[in-house]
Amino acid sequence: METDEFPIGQILTAVSIVEDKEFGGNELCIEQIKLFFQDTAITLQPFADTDEIEIVQQATTTHSPVNTPSWCRHFISKKLMAVWVCDNNQGYRDQVILAFESLHPSIAFVAEGSVIKAFHQEQIHKVKASDTDLQHSQVS
C-alpha cells in the first residue's frame, strides 16, 4: 500500500484488535489491528518472516459494532492528518506512525518478535527551572 492511499482527512470511527495469546508478561502484543474510517478500513498485521508490518486497505461502508480498546478511544472521531511508514536500516517496513487532529505523531505501531506493539506519542516539554534546581541539589 502506498502512503498516499491512506484515508488522510477522514475520521476514525472504530479500532479493533486481535491480541496475541502466546506472549506472556504485561506487554500488549497484537496479531491484527483494524482501523475503521468513514469509507475505508486499514488492517495492520505482522509478517512473521521479516518482522514487518503488512498494510491492507479495504473499502467499507459499514462495519459491525466494535469494542475499541481503551488505549485508543481518544482517537475516535478524530481526523487522520498524517501517516509515516518507516523502513529500518535493513529495508524492512517495521513501523507505522499515525497523526490524528494535528501533524504531530499520535500513535506508533511497531513490528517486533512477530507481533505488533503500540506506542503512544507525546511531546517532550521543558522542565521548569525550579524543578531542575531541585534535581541538581538532590544529586550533590
Side-chain angles (χ1 to χ4, degrees):
M1 164 184 244
E2 297 296 321
T3 55
D4 60 357
E5 293 180 29
F6 278 90
I8 302 296
Q10 288 193 23
I11 303 294
L12 183 67
T13 59
V15 176
S16 70
I17 66 167
V18 176
E19 280 190 54
D20 183 275
K21 302 297 183 194
E22 292 181 30
F23 287 88
N26 65 349
E27 288 187 3
L28 176 63
C29 296
I30 304 168
E31 288 182 13
Q32 182 185 75
I33 301 158
K34 195 169 253 190
L35 303 145
F36 295 95
F37 294 89
Q38 294 159 321
D39 61 5
T40 305
I42 302 293
T43 303
L44 306 177
Q45 50 198 20
F47 183 66
D49 291 347
T50 59
D51 281 339
E52 290 185 272
I53 296 179
E54 179 183 10
I55 304 167
V56 178
Q57 179 183 20
Q58 299 167 294
T60 181
T61 53
T62 61
H63 57 82
S64 57
V66 172
N67 187 15
T68 298
S70 61
W71 49 268
C72 59
R73 284 189 191 135
H74 60 280
F75 300 124
I76 302 302
S77 299
K78 306 279 178 155
K79 188 183 293 188
L80 181 65
M81 300 297 290
V83 176
W84 297 268
V85 178
C86 307
D87 294 339
N88 66 22
N89 66 330
Q90 296 174 323
Y92 296 123
R93 179 188 321 168
D94 62 354
Q95 185 170 196
V96 176
I97 304 168
L98 306 173
F100 291 97
E101 287 299 302
S102 72
L103 295 177
H104 300 259
S106 303
I107 191 164
F109 297 105
V110 178
E112 182 179 296
S114 302
V115 295
I116 295 177
K117 296 181 180 178
F119 296 86
H120 276 140
Q121 307 287 312
E122 62 182 54
Q123 185 173 356
I124 305 292
H125 295 281
K126 292 185 200 178
V127 177
K128 294 179 187 176
S130 59
D131 292 344
T132 304
D133 295 340
L134 179 61
Q135 289 173 357
H136 291 294
S137 66
Q138 291 174 345
V139 173
S140 302

